[in-house]
Amino acid sequence: MENETVQILDGNITEVQLKHWKHKHKRVVKLSVEDDDGKTMYAYFKKPSIAIRSAVLQASKMDEFKALEVLFKNCFLGGDHAIEEEDDLRLNITTSFSDFIQPKPVKIEVL
């Protein structure tokens, strides 16, 4: 039996885990944020489905922070555990992810 080395990536995930996420979700987004001590933390997200976007939109009508929590809970795949545990880190990284997934500009041409 061969000794296989497990490759650990940013956010303490394995190469195997990342490949699994990419296979399952097609596209994985990696974000990073520094904690109060200057240590870089990483989080991996999947792109939200229409159903998730709808839930986020509904939550945002009542409470924008609740909307970010809905987005985090439904799209966060893994990464550094501190992001899940610390409100400031989770808020910062989820806000950036939310900005990233906003609809892109569409060019319209009337013919």
Side-chain angles (χ1 to χ4, degrees):
M1 186 175 199
E2 281 185 41
N3 246 350
E4 290 188 29
T5 305
V6 176
Q7 185 176 1
I8 303 297
L9 305 176
D10 294 334
N12 296 313
I13 67 160
T14 65
E15 181 71 34
V16 171
Q17 184 65 61
L18 181 59
K19 285 181 181 179
H20 171 75
W21 289 338
K22 284 182 174 182
H23 177 74
K24 183 175 181 181
H25 303 294
K26 307 296 179 234
R27 192 164 180 198
V28 175
V29 180
K30 178 174 105 173
L31 292 94
S32 63
V33 63
E34 284 189 8
D35 68 5
D36 292 338
D37 297 325
K39 181 179 177 191
T40 302
M41 301 285 170
Y42 298 91
Y44 296 83
F45 289 84
K46 67 177 183 172
K47 295 273 258 187
S49 65
I50 293 295
I52 294 171
R53 287 178 187 264
S54 177
V56 170
L57 181 61
Q58 287 302 313
S60 72
K61 291 178 181 178
M62 293 181 274
D63 184 342
E64 296 230 4
F65 288 113
K66 186 59 122 180
L68 289 172
E69 278 296 309
V70 169
L71 183 63
F72 183 85
K73 287 179 181 177
N74 285 281
C75 295
F76 179 73
L77 297 172
D80 287 301
H81 292 291
I83 291 171
E84 293 178 274
E85 297 165 0
E86 295 181 31
D87 291 341
D88 289 344
L89 293 175
R90 191 172 60 251
L91 176 63
N92 286 329
I93 213 148
T94 309
T95 300
S96 293
F97 179 64
S98 177
D99 292 343
F100 172 75
I101 62 168
Q102 291 304 308
K104 307 297 184 237
V106 175
K107 183 177 179 180
I108 300 173
E109 185 177 343
V110 178
L111 304 175

